[in-house]
Amino acid sequence: DTAIRIWIELNSVPANLSHKLYFANSGYTVSGASTPVIVKPLLKISPPLRGEGWVAMNGPSNLNPHRSAIFELNGLRYIAQRYAVDWVIVDGNGSWKANNGSVNSDYYAYGKDVLAVGDGTVVNMQDGVPDNVPGTIPPVHLSTLGGNFIVLDLHNGYYAFYGHMIPGSITVKNGDNVSVGQVMGRLGNVGNSN
């Protein structure tokens, strides 16, 4: 059983998508189910961080590791990180750390405020996962993958996920309504992060 990732650029949005794979050597054809394409207005959001020098690492291109990270859970496959971005601050010399990078505070992005990208409601969060030692990733499992995180319901089927936050820095809780630009915690090195 193998997952196949295919990127197709279209000139217009179809009403539905279906897949048919044809294996040339065997003449074997496999047809997939048809799925409707949901078309709705794009959500306009504000930046999740403030300041200058931010660089989007591991996203948002088709070749980044997040776009093709497939997770299997209960026999189903998910591409949960498809739109994920890891943000770092880079200085004028192209470095993202001061000193030798042996402690988290050496990294320019560490401890920066994480902001709500829109008005919304906190629908899930986790705190208490300890920071990682720079350059190492501890064994992660589904409950610690995002480290300390917040899931913000931006309404109309849009959500924002904020991960890898410093333990104890999260200032919101489940059910809280937040406003665009509100500080919700601080950026850290937690979970699947090095």
Side-chain angles (χ1 to χ4, degrees):
D1 192 17
T2 302
I4 299 173
R5 184 177 166 269
I6 299 171
W7 181 262
I8 300 170
E9 293 188 24
L10 303 171
N11 293 325
S12 62
V13 178
N16 60 58
L17 294 172
S18 61
H19 300 85
K20 183 184 280 189
L21 297 176
Y22 175 73
F23 297 89
N25 291 340
S26 66
Y28 185 67
T29 301
V30 177
S31 295
S34 180
T35 183
V37 174
I38 299 170
V39 179
K40 61 182 176 180
L42 294 177
L43 181 66
K44 292 180 183 176
I45 59 173
S46 292
L49 305 154
R50 70 176 136 224
E52 306 224 349
W54 290 101
V55 174
M57 299 292 289
N58 293 329
S61 81
N62 294 324
L63 303 176
N64 84 67
H66 289 144
R67 183 73 80 172
S68 57
I70 299 173
F71 296 97
E72 187 168 324
L73 180 64
N74 299 325
L76 298 173
R77 292 193 177 114
Y78 299 91
I79 310 173
Q81 298 182 69
R82 175 181 318 187
Y83 304 111
V85 176
D86 292 327
W87 294 100
V88 298
I89 295 177
V90 176
D91 67 16
N93 296 319
S95 178
W96 26 322
K97 63 185 176 189
N99 305 316
N100 64 5
S102 63
V103 294
N104 285 318
S105 58
D106 282 349
Y107 293 81
Y108 302 128
Y110 185 83
K112 299 300 183 196
D113 289 339
V114 175
L115 312 174
V117 295
D119 296 340
T121 304
V122 177
V123 292
N124 199 359
M125 51 106 26
Q126 172 173 279
D127 201 350
V129 179
D131 261 332
N132 298 333
V133 174
T136 65
I137 298 178
V140 291
H141 118 338
L142 190 58
S143 67
T144 60
L145 194 62
N148 303 309
F149 67 83
I150 298 169
V151 178
L152 187 59
D153 182 349
L154 299 170
H155 311 298
N156 299 317
Y158 292 105
Y159 294 83
F161 179 91
Y162 306 81
H164 313 303
M165 297 170 73
I166 294 175
S169 74
I170 295 176
T171 60
V172 296
K173 63 186 181 312
N174 286 333
D176 282 357
N177 290 316
V178 299
S179 300
V180 63
Q182 180 177 332
V183 175
M184 299 189 300
R186 292 183 293 134
L187 191 58
N189 178 26
V190 184
N192 189 24
S193 170
N194 62 0

